[in-house]
Amino acid sequence: MMAICGIDFGTSNSTAGCMVNDQPTLLPLEADKSTIPSALFYDFEEESVYTGRAAIQGYLSGSEGRLLRSLKSVLGTSLMDATTEIFNRPFTFRQILATFFNDLKQRAEASTGQPLTQVVLGRPVHFVDDDAKADRLAQDTLESIARDAGFRDIGFQFEPIAAAFDYEQQVEKEELALIVDIGGGTSDFSLIRLSPDRHHQLDRMADILGNAGVHIGGTDFDRLLSLAEVMPLLGLGGRLAHKDAPVPSSYYHQLATWHTINFLYDRKVKRELSEVLSEVADRARFQRLVRLVEERAGHQLAIAVEQAKIEACDTGHADVALDMIESELRLNFELATLEAAIADAVQSIDQTVEAILRQAGVSPSQVTTLFFTGGASGIPSLRHAVLGRFAHAKLVDGDRFGSVGTGLVIDASRRYR
């Protein structure tokens, strides 16, 4: 049994698990932690690679190098075959993603004490929205990486279905559950009938009434908050002094998006920024952007914005230092500011809930349970939008970072037993 595992390779965090004493168990991957940030840090000084929390710490310690996060977001996109310079040579994003995945597998094997050869991998309902070919390419690429890492048998399961299998362990009677999985990169939904009588069945297709998803998640909330509240401090929305034109916005969008931050460190982009600086009306604010790029502090800023989002959701208010931009500069706002910044994204997610109900031919009153999981499922306005449709449904909060991984282990044990 221990050769069988489930892996949730997430946009922000990843897990791996196996059956232990007939129980689905997430493995310790970094010290005693069952989650590991999906991050790599290429340390230029040591010419070494760090993963997970060590990667983030290596970057924050000030070591010269390259931090990469949100790796899953490039699957199915043209960036997959693009290259970036690391250790003075080109690396494709496929190579970078494989480096993290291989390390994840090795950590799982170190926990079990033996090779892992059979796996069920989680996947969003859509890797790429409205593009079946790109979506298939994303899964094929991940499967190829898993096979190169040493897995012999590889299956896939929609992440919200996996979360449903985790929840079903505690179900005492038949329920019609809407699984709400708001992750780092996508928001995914499944409508599924759950029952203790069918818990051990391999084929559950008759119980699945619908699946839907949209490529919006926690990293998008970070991006939208950053664009609304932080990037204006760096000159976004400003004007060029001698032209009737705005300051180019592409730099700010790259800086606000986890997996494109490193593109700003290209020599050509740095030259462009110097040229724009000579033309902007508000030189002081744009100089902040230039200095941030020169100091390669983009990920420090992204981490601060992410922290501010979490703090606002937890306490209703955020007050976070932005010393990486300028000494004593702070980001200070109320929860309502975050909710205004992400309102359109929340509406798109809510429309996806409406779509899955139409697809399944189910009315909100027929749904008995709402099961929330995913690292971004705690956004108050998002929860309010979803809950507003289901006044009589039971609300269950799963393990935000572990329900999908646990369900993948259950699925793997059924498939490969």
Side-chain angles (χ1 to χ4, degrees):
M1 284 290 285
M2 293 297 285
I4 301 169
C5 73
I7 289 181
D8 177 20
F9 168 45
T11 301
S12 300
N13 295 278
S14 296
T15 67
C18 291
M19 295 296 287
V20 178
N21 297 324
D22 290 327
Q23 293 297 317
T25 304
L26 297 182
L27 301 168
L29 298 175
E30 198 170 22
D32 61 343
K33 307 289 187 183
S34 62
T35 61
I36 183 169
S38 303
L40 285 171
F41 180 65
Y42 291 86
D43 190 315
F44 294 167
E45 298 172 16
E46 299 178 2
E47 289 203 11
S48 56
V49 185
Y50 296 92
T51 57
R53 293 171 182 81
I56 296 171
Q57 185 56 45
Y59 169 76
L60 293 176
S61 71
S63 297
E64 182 70 16
R66 178 73 58 86
L67 178 69
L68 293 113
R69 289 190 68 182
S70 193
L71 303 170
K72 185 179 178 180
S73 297
V74 303
L75 283 168
T77 74
S78 58
L79 285 178
M80 205 63 203
D81 295 319
T83 61
T84 186
E85 188 175 289
I86 300 173
F87 301 146
N88 296 315
R89 60 183 185 273
F91 279 69
T92 66
F93 281 90
R94 188 190 188 285
Q95 288 175 288
I96 293 167
L97 197 150
T99 297
F100 177 81
F101 190 91
N102 289 346
D103 181 80
L104 178 62
K105 181 174 185 284
Q106 290 166 13
R107 288 171 182 266
E109 290 175 332
S111 290
T112 63
Q114 61 181 315
L116 298 171
T117 59
Q118 297 174 301
V119 65
V120 172
L121 297 169
R123 58 150 294 165
V125 174
H126 303 295
F127 280 105
V128 182
D129 291 343
D130 302 320
D131 190 334
K133 183 179 180 181
D135 188 79
R136 183 66 206 181
L137 177 62
Q139 179 171 309
D140 289 347
T141 301
L142 186 53
E143 180 176 355
S144 174
I145 289 171
R147 201 169 299 284
D148 289 346
F151 283 111
R152 184 182 71 243
D153 299 313
I154 301 166
F156 285 87
Q157 181 58 269
F158 286 154
E159 289 156 3
I161 295 294
F165 293 158
D166 176 39
Y167 170 57
E168 194 173 37
Q169 296 180 100
Q170 57 183 282
V171 167
E172 297 179 350
K173 62 181 181 179
E174 183 171 303
E175 299 181 8
L176 176 56
L178 174 64
I179 310 301
V180 182
D181 178 14
I182 314 297
T186 60
S187 295
D188 296 291
F189 305 88
S190 291
L191 263 173
I192 181 170
R193 294 192 187 281
L194 302 175
S195 165
D197 297 333
R198 295 194 287 274
H199 176 65
H200 297 291
Q201 293 180 8
L202 176 60
D203 184 1
R204 300 296 299 275
M205 290 304 297
D207 292 325
I208 300 170
L209 280 65
N211 296 296
V214 63
H215 207 276
I216 298 172
T219 57
D220 295 288
F221 301 148
D222 297 344
R223 174 177 56 83
L224 293 168
L225 175 61
S226 185
L227 288 169
E229 296 300 312
V230 179
M231 295 305 153
L233 301 175
L234 304 175
L236 177 62
R239 308 289 295 182
L240 300 178
H242 305 298
K243 299 178 183 178
D244 185 22
V247 172
S249 64
S250 59
Y251 307 123
Y252 302 101
H253 284 273
Q254 287 185 324
L255 185 59
T257 305
W258 278 102
H259 61 275
T260 60
I261 291 172
N262 287 307
F263 294 157
L264 288 171
Y265 304 149
D266 184 84
R267 296 183 185 90
K268 178 183 176 183
V269 175
K270 289 183 177 181
R271 287 196 299 270
E272 290 176 7
L273 290 173
S274 296
E275 293 169 2
V276 175
L277 177 62
S278 66
E279 300 178 6
V280 296
D282 191 338
R283 288 178 58 87
R285 293 198 175 208
F286 197 80
Q287 181 64 60
R288 289 172 171 170
L289 173 64
V290 173
R291 184 169 58 250
L292 190 80
V293 172
E294 288 176 347
E295 295 177 359
R296 293 177 176 260
H299 282 94
Q300 289 184 44
L301 177 58
I303 290 169
V305 172
E306 180 184 35
Q307 178 186 345
K309 175 194 70 177
I310 294 169
E311 186 176 313
C313 290
D314 289 346
T315 68
H317 174 80
D319 183 15
V320 177
L322 298 178
D323 292 339
M324 76 294 298
I325 296 177
E326 187 174 285
S327 178
E328 299 186 6
L329 187 66
R330 304 192 71 84
L331 177 60
N332 193 306
F333 63 89
E334 302 296 322
L335 175 61
T337 300
L338 166 65
E339 294 184 333
I342 67 174
D344 288 345
V346 169
Q347 183 179 16
S348 294
I349 293 170
D350 188 45
Q351 288 170 349
T352 306
V353 175
E354 183 180 3
I356 193 174
L357 292 173
R358 286 199 309 268
Q359 175 195 130
V362 169
S363 69
S365 62
Q366 292 175 278
V367 176
T368 61
T369 307
L370 293 178
F371 182 79
F372 279 84
T373 187
S377 63
I379 300 286
S381 61
L382 173 59
R383 292 172 69 90
H384 179 76
V386 175
L387 289 169
R389 292 182 180 272
F390 306 94
H392 303 292
K394 175 178 63 175
L395 171 62
V396 180
D397 278 300
D399 182 339
R400 289 187 185 178
F401 300 101
S403 283
V404 170
T406 300
L408 291 171
V409 176
I410 294 171
D411 194 17
S413 70
R414 292 172 183 165
R415 294 193 196 199
Y416 301 126
R417 186 181 306 186

